[in-house]
Amino acid sequence: MDGMSGPHVIRGSVSLPEAELMWRFSRSSGPGGQHVNTSDSQVELRFDLAKTEALPEVWKQRALQRLASRLVDGVLTVRASEHRSQWRNRETAAVRLAALLAEATAPPPKPRKPTRIPRGINERRLREKKQRSDTKRGRSGRDWG
């Protein structure tokens, strides 16, 4: 299995544990041609999210919650069949899995603090509004005539 690029980092020092990845290969669907029924180029990569020890507990809970709709018995499955070579599909699947986990384990965004608008600015806005409305009111031809 050499030639595979290094461990796929999820975030920081945490990366996908090679030992916990379950690979399955099958023939890709799509149009036929020479050599088509002989190579198992579609890759299915499974990762048991519920049982893994590789992720910090907090991350794991977060990922289980966020990916709930994609999990089957706590197992996350990623398929790749874009490329004609199995090796490139394996790369794609691993990268995709790492990206999924990175997104699912990301900390929740910080709550937004509303911006304080200085009083002077607010007062100026109201003053300008009033001036504008006076200008417009002055345009109506009521008292001409």
Side-chain angles (χ1 to χ4, degrees):
M1 230 174 40
D2 50 285
M4 250 335 234
S5 69
H8 293 279
V9 176
I10 297 172
R11 206 168 51 254
S13 58
V14 182
S15 56
L16 281 177
E18 201 56 58
E20 293 183 26
L21 300 180
M22 297 167 278
W23 298 92
R24 237 177 73 199
F25 307 103
S26 56
R27 290 194 263 282
S28 290
S29 61
Q34 259 183 328
H35 184 64
V36 76
N37 294 330
T38 55
S39 59
D40 291 343
S41 60
Q42 176 173 294
V43 171
E44 187 178 284
L45 173 56
R46 296 157 57 96
F47 178 65
D48 198 335
L49 191 53
K51 295 199 186 85
T52 185
E53 297 292 317
L55 299 177
E57 195 53 39
V58 189
W59 287 23
K60 191 157 116 178
Q61 292 312 322
R62 227 181 264 153
L64 283 169
Q65 216 171 353
R66 291 187 186 163
L67 297 172
S69 59
R70 287 198 57 153
L71 299 176
V72 179
D73 298 330
V75 177
L76 181 62
T77 307
V78 175
R79 269 199 197 85
S81 58
E82 296 80 282
H83 305 294
R84 289 182 57 175
S85 86
Q86 185 193 97
W87 185 80
R88 279 176 67 196
N89 278 333
R90 289 176 68 150
E91 279 292 283
T92 308
V95 167
R96 211 175 282 166
L97 182 65
L100 252 175
L101 287 173
E103 202 176 309
T105 57
K110 290 192 173 69
R112 177 185 173 276
K113 267 199 260 160
T115 328
R116 284 252 321 127
I117 298 172
R119 209 170 90 215
I121 288 181
N122 215 6
E123 284 173 359
R124 189 180 76 198
R125 181 180 64 86
L126 293 172
R127 211 173 36 246
E128 286 172 358
K129 253 173 99 102
K130 201 170 178 56
Q131 254 178 346
R132 186 95 181 121
S133 86
D134 288 347
T135 305
K136 287 191 168 188
R137 199 173 324 121
R139 289 185 188 148
S140 72
R142 272 200 319 256
D143 24 280
W144 284 28

